[in-house]
Amino acid sequence: MRNPDPPIVCIRDLRFQRGARLIFDGIDLDIQRGKVTAILGPSGTGKTTLLRLIGGQLAPSGGSVLVEGQDVQQLGQSALYTLRKRMGMLFQSGALLTDLTVFENVAFPLREHTNLTPALLRSLVLMKLEMVGLRGARDLYPRELSGGMARRVALARAIALDPNMILYDEPFSGQDPISMGILVRLIRELSDALGLTSVLVSHDVAETNSIADYIYVLAGAKIVGVGTPAQLQASSSPMVRQFMGGLADGPVPFHFPARGYLEDLLAPTP
Amino acid sequence: MTGLLADLGRASLGVCERLGRGHLFLLQIFLGLPSLARRPRLLMVQVWSVGVQSLLIIVVAGTFVGMVLALQGYNTLVTFGAEQSLGVVVAKSLLRELGPVIAALLFAGRAGSALTAEIGFMKATEQLSAMEMMAVNPVHRIVVPRFVAGVTAMPLLATIFTAVGILGGHFCGVGLLGVDDGAFWSQMQAKVMLVDDVLNGVLIKSLVFGFVVSWIAVFEGYDAVPTSEGVSAATTRTVVHSSLAILALDFILTGLMFN
């Protein structure tokens, strides 16, 4: 199953701690070029943190994160910014710049990093907006967009500089079925048509299964499952089965740690 | 007792750490200043936002402060038959103290709080993170233009406040209380000194106040906890810390320049 090309992202023995809480405890992970790789896991397992570590926005407590063969933590600001120009990121909220129109949001990275003529810049922005179906919304402000539209604009902005890799942070959460379907199709099409490497962080199992080439399942600061969607569906690991099947009972507790239910109910009011 | 001492120690360390972060942030701003030369339009937009849009409050407040000064000054001066010196009293009070101080307090309340809220909101909605991921330095793109605009706008606003205050004082003193028009202006012209009153007073003080208020405002926004409560608390801190800093610095500057 493994791609013979060296992975675009290579994570080894990654440890990350926030306060007293251990988020990652020595995880190893490879992202293959040109593939859609999904990171699945329950809420709060550090999926977004993992994207920020790949993007160099956070520093690990230990281990290494190599992107295109470069250790992200060892890069100076200039080299890190050069690397980020080849890396798009779709934030969970869209993170559109609220004082700019849709057109200007997509044009933003182009204006910052290129010297394109106004005519060429306009054509490029309209092409990106056409890809996400929002060419007609170019003059709207982010406050005038629905959640799904905002995420599609953010996607157009993320691909504006034609990156090699896109990091998607929970692209499906809070989306209606139509928006979700459009996003699923867009992510797959972008990956296939442009040869983009996609790293998808999500807890929407069905949608992720439908587009991912490879899936890592995170839980309890460790990677508990690795494989293709079909392999994971057939996994015998209780943790993977619980997550892939959306089961309340299993090794991942539904309840936050607390004293006994009856004891709590009968305890005197403080 | 030990717990109290530990809390005190923790709080002191927290203050020191925050001061350190604030100074490092200021260093980042200074390092980002050259980037503004490539994009002067960003500065113009911010001067409009923090400066021009503060004009109304500055003009209205300046007018009333000048009128009150004239009223109070007249009541005192007329006892000694010195009401013809009203112009000097109004002008010197405004130029040396009230102009820069009140304009800076108003600036902190209107523009400073807006700067903090805007940057804090951008942080809470991941706009700053998105810029970082687009290889755009948010300190250069967002903070530097706002900081420089604040430092630039403050002396202009204080000068306008002072000028409007003098006109308000003239309206009240000459128009309503009957002070001689010629005496009002000629005594002011004779007694107001360019260096002592205008340069040391309104210009240098307001430049220092503008620097400090803008620094506090952009730092509080950038350092805000990215939640609605965090941004709200940061905005409050901007107004409180800026106001206290203005009053304390006014005392120090007055001591240094006028004694």
Side-chain angles (χ1 to χ4, degrees):
Chain A
M1 282 313 295
R2 291 273 178 178
N3 191 322
D5 287 344
I8 191 166
V9 177
C10 180
I11 294 175
R12 289 292 173 268
D13 194 24
L14 179 69
R15 275 165 283 126
F16 184 77
Q17 202 159 350
R18 187 170 281 140
R21 191 173 159 231
L22 192 62
I23 310 286
F24 299 126
D25 185 15
I27 65 168
D28 294 333
L29 189 148
D30 287 338
I31 307 287
Q32 300 299 335
R33 283 175 197 276
K35 303 286 183 191
V36 178
T37 303
I39 318 286
L40 287 177
S43 297
T45 46
K47 301 186 297 294
T48 302
T49 303
L50 185 62
L51 291 189
R52 290 184 184 275
L53 285 160
I54 293 172
Q57 287 190 301
L58 290 174
S61 312
S64 64
V65 178
L66 269 63
V67 179
E68 294 183 344
Q70 303 176 80
D71 189 336
V72 174
Q73 289 315 307
Q74 303 301 320
L75 297 176
Q77 195 188 52
S78 172
L80 183 61
Y81 277 12
T82 305
L83 181 67
R84 282 181 184 164
K85 285 178 200 170
R86 301 194 296 273
M87 191 192 291
M89 181 155 177
L90 179 70
F91 283 79
Q92 190 173 353
S93 61
L96 295 176
L97 305 176
T98 46
D99 58 335
L100 301 180
T101 62
V102 164
F103 182 94
E104 287 301 327
N105 261 287
V106 180
F108 183 81
L110 295 166
R111 288 196 200 282
E112 289 291 325
H113 298 304
T114 66
N115 292 313
L116 298 174
T117 61
L120 190 53
L121 185 133
R122 180 176 178 276
S123 302
L124 261 177
V125 171
L126 292 182
M127 283 162 65
K128 303 296 179 191
L129 284 172
E130 176 71 14
M131 287 178 85
V132 298
L134 290 173
R135 188 168 43 84
R138 76 188 86 161
D139 295 325
L140 298 182
Y141 279 88
R143 62 177 176 273
E144 299 171 291
L145 303 174
S146 68
M149 287 166 81
R151 230 165 278 190
R152 280 150 67 194
V153 175
L155 183 53
R157 185 179 67 178
I159 57 171
L161 289 173
D162 294 329
N164 297 334
M165 175 171 70
I166 301 195
L167 311 174
Y168 297 91
D169 185 8
E170 301 279 8
F172 312 125
S173 66
Q175 297 294 302
D176 63 70
I178 298 172
S179 299
M180 199 181 283
I182 293 169
L183 277 167
V184 167
R185 183 176 55 79
L186 274 173
I187 292 170
R188 188 69 249 182
E189 281 180 5
L190 281 171
S191 185
D192 293 341
L194 305 177
L196 281 174
T197 304
S198 302
V199 184
L200 179 72
V201 149
S202 179
H203 50 221
D204 295 288
V205 178
E207 287 71 26
T208 306
N209 271 343
S210 69
I211 52 168
D213 295 309
Y214 213 66
I215 296 177
Y216 285 86
V217 182
L218 273 174
K222 299 267 190 194
I223 288 174
V224 295
V226 189
T228 61
Q231 285 171 336
L232 286 177
Q233 289 292 357
S235 170
S236 59
S237 157
M239 212 172 258
V240 175
R241 287 176 68 85
Q242 185 195 3
F243 187 73
M244 300 300 276
L247 308 172
D249 289 326
V252 179
F254 170 66
H255 290 284
F256 198 79
R259 61 180 169 174
Y261 188 33
L262 190 63
E263 185 193 347
D264 221 356
L265 288 175
L266 296 175
T269 309
Chain B
M1 187 63 190
T2 318
L4 188 72
L5 278 175
D7 287 347
L8 194 66
R10 248 194 306 275
S12 308
L13 282 175
V15 169
C16 291
E17 190 204 4
R18 209 136 190 279
L19 272 173
R21 278 210 309 275
H23 281 84
L24 287 174
F25 186 68
L26 186 63
L27 183 65
Q28 283 188 60
I29 293 174
F30 285 149
L31 292 175
L33 285 175
S35 68
L36 198 57
R38 293 197 300 273
R39 286 174 294 200
R41 193 174 172 278
L42 290 178
L43 178 61
M44 286 160 60
V45 171
Q46 291 308 318
V47 168
W48 169 268
S49 176
V50 301
V52 178
Q53 294 194 336
S54 301
L55 265 179
L56 183 65
I57 190 171
I58 289 290
V59 168
V60 173
T63 307
F64 283 112
V65 168
M67 287 168 70
V68 169
L69 261 181
L71 205 56
Q72 292 283 16
Y74 181 84
N75 287 338
T76 307
L77 292 171
V78 79
T79 318
F80 310 104
E83 67 271 22
Q84 304 307 322
S85 301
L86 186 65
V88 183
V89 171
V90 169
K92 288 227 178 212
S93 308
L94 282 166
L95 284 165
R96 287 188 172 206
E97 292 299 333
L98 294 176
V101 171
I102 297 182
L105 290 172
L106 293 170
F107 181 76
R110 203 221 71 94
S113 59
L115 284 178
T116 302
E118 186 186 14
I119 296 173
F121 175 77
M122 292 180 87
K123 185 178 181 185
T125 53
E126 295 186 308
Q127 293 180 53
L128 300 182
S129 283
M131 278 190 193
E132 281 182 1
M133 285 307 294
M134 286 187 279
V136 174
N137 189 330
V139 173
H140 294 186
R141 184 66 171 67
I142 299 295
V143 174
V144 170
R146 284 161 176 77
F147 174 79
V148 175
V151 178
T152 313
M154 187 61 245
L156 300 172
L157 291 173
T159 305
I160 292 169
F161 182 98
T162 306
V164 172
I166 291 171
L167 292 177
H170 177 267
F171 169 73
C172 190
V174 176
L176 303 180
L177 301 171
V179 174
D180 181 67
D181 193 20
F184 186 92
W185 292 118
S186 63
Q187 291 221 21
M188 193 192 301
Q189 193 180 10
K191 294 285 198 285
V192 171
M193 298 293 129
L194 181 67
V195 174
D196 280 353
D197 299 321
V198 179
L199 184 68
N200 284 349
V202 75
L203 290 179
I204 290 183
K205 276 189 173 180
S206 58
L207 193 67
V208 174
F209 296 158
F211 182 92
V212 172
V213 172
S214 304
W215 176 23
I216 291 173
V218 293
F219 174 67
E220 288 291 355
Y222 206 80
D223 200 51
V225 177
T227 61
S228 47
E229 294 89 352
V231 176
S232 162
T235 308
T236 307
R237 276 199 305 275
T238 289
V239 177
V240 173
H241 292 179
S242 297
S243 303
L244 294 177
I246 289 163
L247 297 172
L249 280 169
D250 183 47
F251 173 72
I252 294 168
L253 289 171
T254 303
L256 287 174
M257 292 190 300
F258 298 113
N259 284 334

